DNA sequence: CTGTTGACGCTCT
DNA sequence: TAGAGCGCCAACA
């Protein structure tokens, strides 16, 4: 067992999300056996350096809504990054075709098999 | 030690 | 469609 910091484990999983795909806070939380709030809390405290190497923008709320939009600049940055890699975001801040681009169960195939 | 605070999610009105 | 209420639990003052 490796009692690594919660932050470290969350970032490791977020880093697994492939290009043009997204994941929800809840899905990541269930994978790590923590609540969705904890995932959100970690991402909310990312440093500038971490934000550059971690695809935090591929993490959205349940149903595919971009929940950072209420934060103004951060929300616009997330939508911009998503669109840059071809993920369509509608005017209601929702990821189009959410069901098909969402990272689903069984797709977590990290290199760290064990 | 206690209380507050959330990039959330689900259920019930 | 919108809102309220609650669970969640690490981090922080």
């Amino acid at each position: 067992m490796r009692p690594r910091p919660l932050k470290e484990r969350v970032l490791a999983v977020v880093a697994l999300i492939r290009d043009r795909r997204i994941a929800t806070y809840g899905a990541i939380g269930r994978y790590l056996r923590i609540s969705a709030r904890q995932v959100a809390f970690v991402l909310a405290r990312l440093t500038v350096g971490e934000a550059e190497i971690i695809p935090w923008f591929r993490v959205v709320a349940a149903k595919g809504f971009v929940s950072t939009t209420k934060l103004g600049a951060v929300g616009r940055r997330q939508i911009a990054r998503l669109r840059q890699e071809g993920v369509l975001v509608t005017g209601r801040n929702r990821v189009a075709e959410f069901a098909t681009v969402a990272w689903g169960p069984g797709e977590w195939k990290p290199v760290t098999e064990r």
Side-chain angles (χ1 to χ4, degrees):
Chain A
M1 226 220 13
R2 326 187 140 201
R4 288 185 301 182
L6 175 66
K7 180 178 187 179
E8 195 176 319
R9 289 187 291 134
V10 171
L11 297 191
V13 173
V14 173
L16 299 177
I17 308 173
R18 296 194 280 107
D19 290 5
R20 290 171 157 277
R21 301 296 297 277
I22 62 173
T24 64
Y25 297 95
I28 295 171
R30 285 191 296 275
Y31 181 76
L32 290 175
R33 309 277 128 145
I34 60 179
S35 71
R37 280 193 102 100
Q38 301 340 298
V39 178
F41 194 76
V42 168
L43 295 185
R45 299 193 76 255
L46 285 184
T47 65
V48 175
E50 290 164 339
E52 289 178 6
I53 61 177
I54 297 294
W56 58 272
F57 52 88
R58 296 187 185 131
V59 183
V60 299
K63 313 293 185 189
F65 288 96
V66 177
S67 56
T68 57
T69 49
K70 55 185 152 192
L71 300 181
V74 177
R76 292 200 341 203
R77 221 177 314 160
Q78 174 167 19
I79 292 177
R81 295 290 296 270
L82 287 174
R83 285 176 173 160
Q84 274 175 37
E85 58 180 39
V87 175
L88 192 61
V89 181
T90 68
R92 293 280 266 272
N93 303 320
R94 186 160 131 37
V95 173
E97 300 180 353
F98 166 68
T100 61
V101 297
W103 200 261
E107 293 192 79
W108 300 105
K109 291 169 181 171
V111 282
T112 55
E113 166 70 344
R114 70 190 315 288

